[in-house]
Amino acid sequence: MSTVGILGGTGPAGRGVAARMASAGYEVVLGSRDAARAQATADAMAPPSVGSLRGGTNEEAANCELVVVATPFDSAVATVSALRAALAGKVVISMVNALAREGKELVALYPPRGSMAAQIAFALPESTIVGAFHHLPASLMEDLDSDLEADVVIFADDADARSSVATMVSTLPGLNGVVAGSMSLASAVEAFTAVCISINIRHKVHSYVRLAGLQH
Ligand SMILES: NC(=O)c1ccc[n+]([C@@H]2O[C@H](COP(=O)([O-])OP(=O)(O)OC[C@H]3O[C@@H](n4cnc5c(N)ncnc54)[C@H](OP(=O)(O)O)[C@@H]3O)[C@@H](O)[C@H]2O)c1
């Protein structure tokens, strides 16, 4: 697959994934509720050396071969539900975390189905949902000159989909895809993001997950 669409791609999280994917040769569409804003966002980003990066509507992003959901948690289900037909039969990556800020800390919220990935899977029964990119600091992702060397925890019930997403992630600069297992891990993976961001706030850093003991 060569085209990647990012729903809510104008935010820091979507831009970070877009920058890494375009630099690996993918044709990336930053999706938005406002195509002009998305194009302005794409124009303001560093131009990729090999792939391509352009703005468009969320509908255009959903028409790509691989789709990433990068909206705030409280708009993710409404956003994907409106695109259900375009997303049918595709792998849809959720990087969505349900979090709330309390002072210097982030706290994990628990959606009715336990995780945002499960909420999205319920809204998209004809799609294959894979969780990835939850713990990555957006600013380091978008800065291709940063020394990011992160493990990306990946989960899905579909073994082929999680394996192919892990392989794809490992082709992105600075990232190593690690299959953790099934959708049953989604709640723990998403909630751990609250730990990551709380550490970053408290220690004024952009830390990320690097798992010891893996062969990198
Ligand atoms: N920031 C990070 O470091 C990071 C890292 C990993 C995962 N994540 C996750 O990635 C997701 C996005 O994070 P973010 O920081 O990029 O969020 P964000 O900036 O608040 O939102 C991303 C984009 O979503 C769209 N959006 C906002 N409200 C919307 C609504 N009501 N309906 C539909 N679209 C809406 C906006 O695009 P348009 O206005 O152009 O439509 C916005 O630019 C979150 O779920 C977050 O937990 C974030």
Side-chain angles (χ1 to χ4, degrees), residues 11-70:
R15 292 199 311 272
V17 171
R20 297 270 156 179
M21 296 206 74
S23 75
Y26 292 92
E27 297 167 35
V28 181
V29 177
L30 290 182
S32 170
R33 293 167 294 178
D34 179 336
R37 177 165 58 240
Q39 189 56 51
T41 301
D43 290 342
M45 291 174 64
S49 50
V50 280
S52 66
L53 193 55
R54 72 172 178 86
T57 60
N58 281 328
E59 288 74 14
E60 287 173 270
N63 284 327
C64 292
E65 293 160 282
L66 177 67
V67 179
V68 180
V69 187

Side-chain angles (χ1 to χ4, degrees), residues 7-14 31-34 37-38 58 69-75 79 95-99 133-139 193:
L7 309 179
T10 54
S32 170
R33 293 167 294 178
D34 179 336
R37 177 165 58 240
N58 281 328
V69 187
T71 67
F73 78 91
D74 50 2
S75 53
T79 299
M95 65 185 300
V96 180
N97 301 298
L99 304 171
F133 302 129
H134 296 87
H135 308 138
L136 297 165
S139 55
T193 309

Side-chain angles (χ1 to χ4, degrees), residues 135-187:
H135 308 138
L136 297 165
S139 55
L140 296 188
M141 282 286 282
E142 186 171 349
D143 179 6
L144 296 172
D145 293 327
S146 72
D147 56 4
L148 181 69
E149 285 293 342
D151 287 316
V152 178
V153 177
I154 291 165
F155 61 82
D157 282 340
D158 186 302
D160 290 340
R162 67 194 185 208
S163 170
S164 66
V165 168
T167 301
M168 179 278 288
V169 167
S170 295
T171 68
L172 306 182
L175 302 182
N176 179 46
V178 181
V179 173
S182 72
M183 183 70 91
S184 68
L185 299 169
S187 179

Side-chain angles (χ1 to χ4, degrees), residues 82-131:
L83 300 165
R84 176 173 166 174
L87 297 173
K90 294 181 184 172
V91 170
V92 175
I93 296 177
S94 171
M95 65 185 300
V96 180
N97 301 298
L99 304 171
R101 178 115 186 208
E102 283 189 0
K104 280 190 169 181
E105 294 188 350
L106 271 284
V107 293
L109 305 176
Y110 291 91
R113 293 181 185 277
S115 68
M116 286 309 303
Q119 296 292 129
I120 290 169
F122 186 72
L124 299 178
E126 300 91 6
S127 303
T128 301
I129 310 307
V130 178

